[in-house]
Amino acid sequence: QVSYSLSSAKSHTSRESSSNQSNIYKKMKTGGTLLVSIAMIASSVRAFQSLTRAAASKGGNNPLLKEAMTTSTSTTTAHNRGHLIRTASAAASSTTETTATVNSFLQQDDLPKFASMEPKDLTPAVESLLEKMEADFSALETNLSNDEVLAELNYDKVLPEVERIQFALGYAWGVAGHLNGVRNGDELRKEYETNQPKIVKAMSQFSQSKPLYDALKVVE
């Protein structure tokens, strides 16, 4: 009975494969190379599953046939599950990156994006820009403290560098000040007043910096 079932299944599979191949050849003529490859793989999988399923139903407890059918189903299920997990993970990562990077106070490559600016974004923007400005200014002070650098110092190595370091925070804070004047509200006013002392303290570092003072004396 198993032999007859295998023969019957093979015959059925052969006819199905013939029909599928006919369709595949038509697609090849129209340039559907990728679709053809997928169709060939899917056809092979269906043929194997049809064969093992028919034989197992007639073959009773044949362990080899049962193992073949179980392995095929498990492999396909695992592959599909893995693909879904990878796709979901990539989508979540993309969404996280997009959410993390969208802050209109930090988008300074064009005119201010007033329409999309939210009061809640001001503090994260200020803290991020303050951290970068302080790190850059600390590096400049270290450089200006070097005697060899001072000996060859000129104007372009001092004030333009200071302006570059201050620019990003100055841009964001200037935009925030404009919004506070023309679109004042409780939330924006609170955020502005919370961050103002941080700005004053950070900017005072420039006027109180001895390395910067010494450098300006050299180039005056």
Side-chain angles (χ1 to χ4, degrees), residues 141-160:
E141 284 187 309
T142 300
N143 190 45
L144 294 177
S145 299
N146 187 312
D147 291 336
E148 293 181 3
V149 172
L150 284 174
E152 300 179 358
L153 204 59
N154 58 50
Y155 175 86
D156 290 335
K157 294 180 180 178
V158 184
L159 287 181

Side-chain angles (χ1 to χ4, degrees), residues 17-30 32 35-41 43:
S17 295
S18 247
S19 174
N20 287 340
Q21 286 175 357
S22 176
N23 291 331
I24 287 170
Y25 292 146
K26 289 179 183 178
K27 290 179 181 179
M28 287 179 68
K29 290 179 182 178
T30 60
L35 293 176
V36 169
S37 299
I38 295 172
M40 289 178 69
I41 295 170
S43 177

Side-chain angles (χ1 to χ4, degrees), residues 6-16:
L6 284 171
S7 175
S8 175
K10 285 179 181 177
S11 174
H12 175 73
T13 301
S14 177
R15 288 195 301 273
E16 183 180 346

Side-chain angles (χ1 to χ4, degrees), residues 198-211:
K198 304 175 189 176
I199 303 295
V200 173
K201 180 181 178 181
M203 289 302 181
S204 68
Q205 295 177 5
F206 292 88
S207 60
Q208 297 174 5
S209 169
K210 188 174 187 307

Side-chain angles (χ1 to χ4, degrees), residues 187-205:
E187 188 178 359
L188 177 59
R189 186 164 53 251
K190 180 181 177 181
E191 293 292 329
Y192 190 85
E193 291 174 353
T194 297
N195 287 286
Q196 192 167 33
K198 304 175 189 176
I199 303 295
V200 173
K201 180 181 178 181
M203 289 302 181
S204 68
Q205 295 177 5

Side-chain angles (χ1 to χ4, degrees), residues 91-187:
S93 176
S94 175
T95 302
T96 301
E97 287 178 8
T98 302
T99 303
T101 55
V102 173
N103 185 324
S104 297
F105 288 101
L106 298 177
Q107 295 177 322
Q108 303 182 1
D109 55 343
D110 203 344
L111 294 174
K113 297 173 175 55
F114 291 114
S116 60
M117 288 179 174
E118 298 290 339
K120 64 182 177 59
D121 293 331
L122 181 58
T123 295
V126 167
E127 290 177 349
S128 172
L129 294 172
L130 274 175
E131 183 179 353
K132 185 176 188 314
M133 187 184 76
E134 289 173 354
D136 288 348
F137 186 55
S138 177
L140 178 64
E141 284 187 309
T142 300
N143 190 45
L144 294 177
S145 299
N146 187 312
D147 291 336
E148 293 181 3
V149 172
L150 284 174
E152 300 179 358
L153 204 59
N154 58 50
Y155 175 86
D156 290 335
K157 294 180 180 178
V158 184
L159 287 181
E161 275 298 297
V162 172
E163 291 175 356
R164 180 190 65 78
I165 291 170
Q166 293 177 339
F167 176 81
L169 181 61
Y171 181 101
W173 192 243
V175 168
H178 174 73
L179 286 174
N180 193 46
V182 301
R183 202 173 76 188
N184 191 283
D186 292 341
E187 188 178 359

